[in-house]
Amino acid sequence: MKETIKIVSVLTIVCILCAFLLAFVNNAARGQIASNDTKKIEDAIGKLAPLFKKTEKLNIAGEEIYKLFDAKGEVLGYAFLAKGDGYQGVIKVLAVINPQIDKLEGIEIIESVETPGLGARIKEDFFRNQFKNLKVSVPIECVKENITQDNQIKAISSATISSKSLVNILNKKISELKKQLANQ
Amino acid sequence: MISVAEHKKPQYRLASEKFFTPRKLYLALSQHTGKPSRPCVKAGDMVPEAAILAERDGLISSHLHAPSSGKVLAIEEWYHPTLKRAPSIILECTPEPKIYTPRNGVEKFNKKELLDIIAASGIVGLGGAAFPTHVKLAPPEAVDTLIINGCECEPYLTTDCRLMVEQLEQICRGAEIISRIIEPKKVIFTLEDNKPEAIKKMQHMLRTRTNALPSAKLVVLRTAYPQGGEKQLIYATLKRKVPPGKLPFNVGCLVQNVATCFALYETIYLNKPLIERLVTFAGDALNTPKNIWIKIGTTLKELFDQKVLFFKEEPQKIICGGPMMGISLNHLDYPILKGAGGFLFLRSTHSDEESACIRCARCVDACPMNLLPLEYAKRVKHDDYTTLEELNIKDCIECGACAHECPAKIPLVQYIKIGKKYASNS
Amino acid sequence: MNEIILAPVALGLTGFSFAVVLAILDKRLKVEDDPRVTKVIQVLPGTNCGACGFAGCHGFAEAVVKNGKKFSGCIPGGLAVNQKVAAILGIDAELHHHKLVAICRCQAGKKEKNISFVYQGPKTCRAAEFVSNIDCAYGCFGFGDCVTVCPVKAISLFDTHICVDRKKCIGCGKCAKMCPRKLFELVPRVGTTTYYVGCNNKEKALSVRAVCSSGCIACGICVKVKDSPFYLKQNLSYIDYAKIDLETPLAEAKAKCPTKCIAQSNDSR
Amino acid sequence: MGRQNLMTEFIKGLWKDHPLMRQLLGMCSTLAITTTVINGISMGLGVTFVIVSTSFFVSIIRKIVPPQVRIAVYAAIIATFVTIVDIFFKANFPKISEALGPYVPLIIVNCIVLGRCEAFACKNGIWASVWDGLGMGLGYTWVLIVLGTIRELLGSGTILGKTIMPSVYNPLVVMVLPAGAFLLLGFLLALMNRLEQKKQVS
Amino acid sequence: MQVTVSTSPHLKSNIKTAIIMRQVMIALIPVVIAAVVFFKYRAIWLMLNCVLSAVISEKIILRIRAKSTSTKDGSAALSGLLLALILPPSIEWYAATLGSVFAIVVAKQLFGGLGSNIFNPALIGRAFLMAAYPKMLTTFVEPFAVDTVSGATPLALQKFSHITTSSVKLFWGNVPGSLGETCAIAIIIGGVYLLIKKIADWRIPLSLLVTTTCITIVFHWYKPQSGSILFHFLSGGLLLGAFFMATDPVTTPVTKSGRYIFGVGCGILMMIIRYFSGLPEGMMYSILFMNSLTPLINRYTRPKRFGT
Amino acid sequence: MKDLILIFISTVLINNFVLYYFLGICPFLGVSGKIESAFGMGVAVIFVMTIANALSWLIYHLVLVKMGLGFLAYLLFILVIAALVQIVEMFIRKFSPPLYRALGIFLPLITVNCAILGATLLMVTKNYNFIQSVVYGFAGGLGFTLIILVMAGIREDLEYADIPSVFKGAAITLVTTGLLALIFMGFSGLISA
Ligand SMILES: Cc1cc2nc3c(=O)[nH]c(=O)nc-3n(C[C@H](O)[C@H](O)[C@H](O)COP(=O)(O)O)c2cc1C
Ligand SMILES: Cc1cc2nc3c(=O)[nH]c(=O)nc-3n(C[C@H](O)[C@H](O)[C@H](O)COP(=O)(O)O)c2cc1C
Ligand SMILES: Cc1cc2nc3c(=O)[nH]c(=O)nc-3n(C[C@H](O)[C@H](O)[C@H](O)COP(=O)(O)O)c2cc1C
Ligand SMILES: Cc1cc2nc3c(=O)[nH]c(=O)nc-3n(C[C@H](O)[C@H](O)[C@H](O)CO)c2cc1C
Ligand code: SF4
Ligand code: SF4
Ligand code: SF4
Ligand code: SF4
Ligand code: FES
């Protein structure tokens, strides 16, 4: 019996102490972590829309969309997160779109696990810059040869799949967004 | 199964000769599979031809008879192809040729009488294994098929072939004796298609002698090595498979070599024990190859000393038996044993060094027993004997087909021999 | 603030329930181990790394207790742990108080052994056994299979001539089991020197001389020495190790042996 | 325990009983996160912190823990400190935290930590355990740094994010992929064996 | 008289490892010629590069390890040649050298040299380059215009752009692709030579080709744009792989049934990769994957004992 | 259903725990010497991983998330695994000695197999529902078993290979694993296309 008590009490007490310690540390760091998360998004937005001063979080259908305002309080556009499957895993992208929802201001890859040297080049400027001022009133097209229209981007050679996946992710999200904002 | 270079051409058509005048005979007490026989003479004794020199010791053993009259010089260690040195009776010959008087009333002998005669005559299987024939002829289970083995699948050797060409009648009589003892339903003579002359004679004989062996027939097999092996032969002729660890009688078969049949004939009809046999001497180091009737116990040296054989060139290799399963000897002082069907004198050795196994599986494809020779070699090389039995190493009949085929020239059979020995130890 | 209370409570409860379950099951489902297994587990590092080739420390402990031979298998533990394991199993005593020492009954080197032919095949004694590479049908092949099998590296090979280091040999008998010509004999370790007859040829003098110049010819000189422990059997001289109280007859026989086939191994060498 | 002894406890983890190269423990995070130097450093220090603190606590309570719940108790202590490290990274170095991904929590099951608890801390005094943990942790760290350096240099041509290799260098992408990690560690182990062999010969 | 003694058998066939390797090289002659015709000097340089770096690195390793075996058996040269034949003609010289050295040093010698390697060295060389320089390994050039026009391989065109290349072109090999894989007729001639000479076992190529054919029949019937039977048969590395790489004795099963399993497994995996994965071609990965299964296949397909 | 199949295939082949996530490497290196042991280990991992994922999912989603105690996740998961392993071990040891002999000895190893904890953590990160989590755990274990079996087969062969002495043991195993990882890259992209 004595042993049973020992087993039970040691494990219980250790658990309680650990939990206490953790709760304490967590409590102390929580604020910082939360602000880190927002800061990361704001940093990304800042790169795409340098003029923005203030965001307003819209919560539409459970998804977060940021409405961007400049210093004068005018709407700069919307920022949104989109994600989907790439070549190897999930691609998460932040995009800023103009208030009319027909032109992209730019994109920023938040997360991806594509092959370095191939798919991972979607993070590089030469590719991302294609999305600056890209027409999105009709779905974006990803082509392998030269661009002929202003809603097209050129796929990274040897990484067509990653490029196409990214375009698909954006197209899907933009069309949803159009509907949602129209509903508002 | 594989195909190997035959090397039978030079000696295939050579009629057999006789050499019955050795000066000394060296008669190992281990002439056969089983226990060595027990000497019943002592140094200094004078013995007549065909007298018993050593007696059977136990069931699987065999008598040893004096191939020639003479004086027992000593009983001591002498060279032996497999055992290297083994107790032997050394006999100084004083030639007094013996006339054998044919036995009467053989037709009326019953099974028991026949078996007793065979047991007393020192006959062992002449196909290679030298297993005492009287044991084999008393199988514990009924045998429905008697297979007479005339395949002689070893390259170079031509004794069975010559015997079938020259003494076919006697062989058939010998086969008759066996079938009288074991009463099979069928008797099958098997030959490979590389012996057309023997096949023709055999066909003729079977046509003309139908009354003596009514159920006999001839099966001609496509030449392949090692088709003469008991289990392979039974499968090739009857499509019966002898299970591992079992013997031919377990599937109702008995296999006897043609030379054994001839020896049985001589014993039963002529009252002559097994004291001589036909031996092929061949190989490119010899001036001319020969098939010679020779007394058991004659040394090779004697054949050269008495100018029966001549070297064209110094041999690089001397082999007792065929090139696939024979034993290589290091000098000419070895005697001829009951089971030795041939001696080869070769000019060149395969001097290729063993190289790494490339897992080409030629050995696997060659193996008639469905084994994995490369696995054995690999394990033995690394001193790992634990899994060999699991891999059925004991099934290997050491036919050498695998090593023949191996492009890396790995002496697979040698590794297998080591493996078999140490697998049982550990 | 809420969670600072909630967390300990929640976790405390979980811990408590697990502990209770474990404690109860521990009582109910107890299975007794070989006490040595538990002891071995205690000295093992407990990292369960599997480097020993067994499934974790427990597996290793069970295996060593069953079969002590591989007691040194724990790699992370190193020497210190191995010694402790050995101590628990009582192997230690066996290892260091060996009473037997191996001798090799063929002392002929390249010069003495007749070799009139060429051996072709793998260079191991086990392989050579089937055809032999020396004229003598009893002697050492000289490929040194025994050298590799000896766990303490006590055997060395000087141009096909085998020497056992008396100091290192622990009398395990592995060499005797390995040697295809059965040349090793384990003899009692007495004094600081072991004498032995370095020949295994059981044939008559003439046959022996034909194949080896240092073979025992059974002349009997060693037997005739005063107080000799030697005796002859099958044309070969043997030492009765039960009778070796004195070293003098041994040394004398060694000096007198005409073929110099009596050898000795010393501790000092 | 003398200073000398504490020193040996510390030193052994750096080479002789190196947790990674000798005991083959803690492989997972080693391979996973060493794509860059900075990851290696952070992971190494994180692990060191966890080993030291858990060794400390385990050593304190070593006498009162019954064997039936030993592993559970150790695991709980380890998990606590790992969570603290995780929270610390998240709060102060969010970039690194992201790069290390799920491998921070996996320090819990990093075999080194539990291994040291089971093998050392639960049998030894507090200071010996702490020094032992420190040695093991730093031993682990230096290998991570070496691996991280080689992989970053060859795989991306940079060190600590700065381009080092000349522009004609075509990065060997494979080095930052899983395969490269395994191959490199294999070669490093072989190198270590080689050094050891040399030492034994001389 | 000094004779040699050895154990039986004393008679051995004439075939030797070096002869086998030489025969494979002979069988590759048509493929090499086709490569030179289509890709000109690039083909010659690439093959020289790979073969030389393979042989030299093998020599160096053997010297370091103080092994008596020599490079004369030709296996290293063969591995190098085969590697060259599966690389894109436009590959940079240093990449080809690196791949060749990796193939011999890591995939072959580290595992114990000839006969002990688990993976096909040439294919590991390519897989390594694929991971090391993915861009280079997925860029191909048009035949005859090797310096100017880059093109997509027939399988990539089929997969990513749904353009089917004509079988006639595939048959003669006038398409972009790896050095030795484009000319189907040359490979078939060489492969048949190998099989007739009994240098390679017929079981693996047969089962592999039959499996892929069956799969393509089903898929073509179900979804015609997935590519016709003939198209899949003639394009990509299928033929070169089936005849010259899936037949590598060292890395494939030794049992007969194991070889069928190997062939079928390769075929299924390759078609899965061609149809469903991000890669246009899967011959290399499927053979390598089956290589890794070979020890298990060998173990579980041991032939039945005679008589049971 | 389709999502389950996708999870299954991608976990076994593409995002293999050993070759892609580098989880469970220590037992992978340690216990891949013999096919039998590897198989036992594999089965034990499948078993524990599946159950641990199920239990952890329940605790995480039904208790921790509800109470806002997400930061206790690691602590709880490892407790669950440790206790679970111990309980399972006790049970089979008592009630099925043959199973214990075949499997039980691998169980203690599993507590420190980071693949198990990794599976629970990844299941949280990937936001799987209950069924998906169970499938994920099972497939993860299966992937581990597959790869450890392949490795064991290779290593049994390599026992007899003439490997340079410095590479013997763990080094060649790591190199082989590296080559396997190269090969498994061929399966990448199998989900998205
Ligand atoms: C190891 C490896 C990694 C790859 N990684 C990617 C990738 O991350 N993204 C991608 O789109 N394609 C990747 N690919 C290539 C694709 O499978 C495919 O070949 C390519 O997308 C075709 O593009 P192309 O038509 O531009 O040549 C990879 C290929 C290999 C062999
Ligand atoms: C212990 C033993 C017992 C045997 N008993 C019999 C037997 O009773 N009947 C029989 O026909 N053969 C018997 N044999 C002989 C074998 O079947 C076989 O004929 C002999 O070993 C020669 O075969 P081979 O030349 O194919 O190697 C026996 C063999 C051995 C080793
Ligand atoms: C590989 C191998 C090949 C054999 N080849 C022959 C052969 O060609 N001719 C033959 O008569 N016996 C051959 N034998 C011996 C037979 O297996 C069998 O022992 C013999 O035919 C039995 O007859 P016997 O007892 O009269 O000798 C061979 C044995 C083996 C193992
Ligand atoms: C039919 C045949 C096919 C071969 N295929 C290859 C191959 O695909 N890759 C390779 O590196 N070596 C190949 N070799 C050569 C040899 O087997 C190779 O160098 C070994 O894998 C090295 O141990 C082949 C050899 C033969 C006989
Ligand atoms: S034939 Fe020789 S090289 Fe071929 S697999 Fe067998 S042992 Fe190896
Ligand atoms: S393994 Fe034995 S039975 Fe098979 S081929 Fe070789 S020697 Fe003949
Ligand atoms: S094993 Fe025997 S034959 Fe071989 S070297 Fe040692 S003593 Fe001599
Ligand atoms: S193997 Fe054993 S008995 Fe023989 S010498 Fe070595 S330690 Fe002595
Ligand atoms: S660190 Fe992952 S299993 Fe050891």
Side-chain angles (χ1 to χ4, degrees), chain B residues 158-171:
Chain B
T158 51
T159 53
D160 289 354
C161 176
R162 285 318 301 169
L163 209 57
M164 284 187 284
V165 172
E166 295 172 10
Q167 314 272 3
L168 195 53
E169 173 69 26
Q170 288 83 337
I171 291 173

Side-chain angles (χ1 to χ4, degrees), chain E residues 105 146 149 229:
Chain E
V105 175
V146 289
V149 193
I229 302 142

Side-chain angles (χ1 to χ4, degrees), chain B residues 316-317 323 359 395 404 409, chain E residues 4 6 10 13 117 250 305:
Chain B
Q316 286 288 316
K317 210 162 199 180
R359 294 197 270 212
D395 285 5
H404 177 271
K409 306 296 165 203
Chain E
T4 303
S6 66
H10 309 284
S13 66
N117 47 316
V250 178
R305 285 172 97 169

